Every structure is written in structure tokens, then in C-alpha cells.
Amino acid sequence: MARLAGVSQATVSLVLSGRDLATGRPISAETRAKVLDAAHSLGYVPDPAASRLAAARNNLLGVFSFTATFPTDVRHSYYPFLVGVEQEAAAQGYDLVLFTGSSTGGAGAGGAGALNRVRLADGCLFLGRHAPADELRRLVADDFPVVHVGRRDEPEGLAWVGADYVSASREVVTALAALGHRRVLLVREDDDAPASTDRERGFLDGLAASGLPAGPEAVFRSGDPRRDLTADRVRAWVADGVTAFVAEETDTGAAWRALRA
């Protein structure tokens, strides 16, 4: 190609890579045209793998979900997050790589080094309530770009982005109080995930601000909602004066699904 264009190999490399423009020392329009014409006549197509290797990046963004399956149901709590990830990745010129560690037949997310394969990408987004802290800590220590979708208190240095569940839950209770409800019950899963903690905090704040009962009896925690949320239990709550239920939505959806059933 350099021989056909009558320029050096270095000039061809600079023009095809665009590095001359990036460095602020652009090659003349005439020389650039010669190189591009030669490339076109030879049917040159850049090798994306080689280009990405040379640039030390591959424009791939990893997405790792710790849910049982990758959510596609529009009612799933992760669905809007994933739609946003896809849209912004496209806007930034990135392709997405789905890591299937938690799906049936996947490579698994447990054990030392289980998340090492995410290094195939330039960075990775993690979704899920129970991501392995030690593995995330190792990625953070190695300065690998990691962002967790949802608030996390550990490991230290992990970047995260999350919804304001405290304010949202408080507003739900305020709206119910405005409708005339005087006793409201929160049904949630029995774990200490930050999102659940934030929802409960906002719920109790909303009760207190609205002058509604905000004691321990206002929250029902269950490790197995399908077993514990029986029809008799719900009837007993209603008979005792509960007129509205608030059920948190998580990656499992266990609480609200059981309450609805």
C-alpha cells in the first residue's frame, strides 16, 4: 500500500489509524487522499482485533448479572437499567458482552478468580444483590474499571450508581397516607442488601412523617415469602386494620409475587 501511494509505511499507519489527527500534526490532504485511494483500490479492511490490541482497548463493555437468569421481562426490576446500559453503550460506541456466570450452564460466579474473565472487556457493570465482595475487591485493587448498579458499602473504592430508594419509598407512603390509609405494612425479603435497607428506611420515615404507626409491626421480613405469606396471614393483617401493603421489588421478585398470589 505504501509503494502504491508513494509514501512511507509510517505515513500509511498514521493515516489509517487517525493518529496524525489525534496528535495535532495532520498529514496533508493530498497525502491522505493518496493513502486512502490506495487502501480502497487494494480492498483494505482494518482488522478490528489488531486495531483494538494496538490501542490497548477493545470497545467492549461487560455486563455481569448475578440473578438466576438475564432479565428480559419488562416487569423485572433490572429491565430499565439494562435498557439504559444498551442505549448508552451504543451512544458511546461500545459493544456489550454478557457474562453468564449465574445462568444455568454458565461458568459460575463463585470461587477465587471467578470474575477474571470480565477482563476481556474494557470494563464491567455488575448487577445483583449478592456479588462476591472478595472478587470485586480484587478487580478494584487492580484498577480494572468496575461499576456496581446498586448501592454497596463494600469493598472500599468500588464505584456504584443506584436509585434513591429512601426518597422513593417515603413518597410511596406519603401518597398512601394522602389517600386515607392509616395502617400500611411493608413486606420485604430477609437480608441486609443495601437497597432493601434503604427501602425500609424510607418507608419508616414516610410513616413517621405522616403520623402513621411506624413500629416493628409495620415491617414484615421473610426469608421465604412463598411459604410465609399465606392467605390466612394476609387476611389476619386486613382484619387487624392493614389497608395497604408495600412490597419491595428485587432481582427475585419473591416478596411482591408472594403477596400478590
Side-chain angles (χ1 to χ4, degrees):
M1 187 184 304
R3 187 181 305 112
L4 180 61
V7 298
S8 68
Q9 192 70 44
T11 297
V12 170
S13 178
L14 287 171
V15 171
L16 295 180
S17 66
R19 291 198 303 273
D20 64 317
L21 297 175
T23 59
R25 297 191 300 271
I27 292 172
S28 70
E30 181 182 359
T31 301
R32 175 178 293 278
K34 289 180 179 180
V35 173
L36 295 179
D37 287 345
H40 179 72
S41 65
L42 294 173
Y44 169 78
V45 177
D47 183 341
S51 299
R52 290 170 175 177
L53 182 62
R57 58 185 300 174
N58 54 28
N59 283 71
L60 296 177
L61 175 64
V63 178
F64 200 121
S65 172
F66 292 94
T67 58
T69 57
F70 194 71
T72 56
D73 190 331
V74 295
R75 294 172 299 177
H76 196 289
S77 59
Y78 284 169
Y79 183 82
F81 290 99
L82 293 167
V83 170
V85 167
E86 180 183 18
Q87 291 174 343
E88 186 61 21
Q92 297 293 334
Y94 277 77
D95 290 315
L96 293 178
V97 178
L98 169 63
F99 293 98
T100 57
S102 55
S103 299
T104 302
L115 302 186
N116 282 343
R117 62 190 185 280
V118 305
R119 298 174 189 266
L120 292 170
D122 293 331
C124 191
L125 300 175
F126 289 93
L127 302 92
R129 294 157 66 86
H130 304 295
D134 288 343
E135 285 295 292
L136 290 178
R137 186 176 294 110
R138 186 173 296 109
L139 292 173
V140 171
D142 291 343
D143 292 325
F144 182 77
V146 176
V147 175
H148 189 271
V149 178
R151 182 174 71 83
R152 285 186 65 102
D153 297 324
E154 45 75 36
E156 183 178 355
L158 175 67
W160 59 267
V161 57
D164 183 359
Y165 291 121
V166 176
S167 296
S169 300
R170 186 188 302 119
E171 290 174 8
V172 167
V173 176
T174 300
L176 290 173
L179 292 172
H181 294 282
R182 309 270 41 102
R183 186 168 175 204
V184 185
L185 179 71
L186 171 67
V187 178
R188 56 162 292 188
E189 295 179 43
D190 189 22
D191 63 29
D192 295 317
S196 294
T197 300
D198 288 349
R199 292 187 183 103
E200 181 173 331
R201 175 186 159 195
F203 176 81
L204 295 175
D205 286 352
L207 291 179
S210 301
L212 304 183
E217 68 280 358
V219 179
F220 178 76
R221 296 175 60 140
S222 172
D224 188 352
R226 290 185 61 185
R227 178 197 65 199
D228 297 334
L229 283 172
T230 63
D232 287 342
R233 183 185 293 273
V234 174
R235 291 192 188 99
W237 280 326
V238 173
D240 198 34
V242 174
T243 58
F245 295 89
V246 175
E248 71 166 349
E249 184 177 13
T250 66
D251 47 5
T252 67
W256 74 263
R257 292 179 190 277
L259 182 62
R260 185 178 65 175

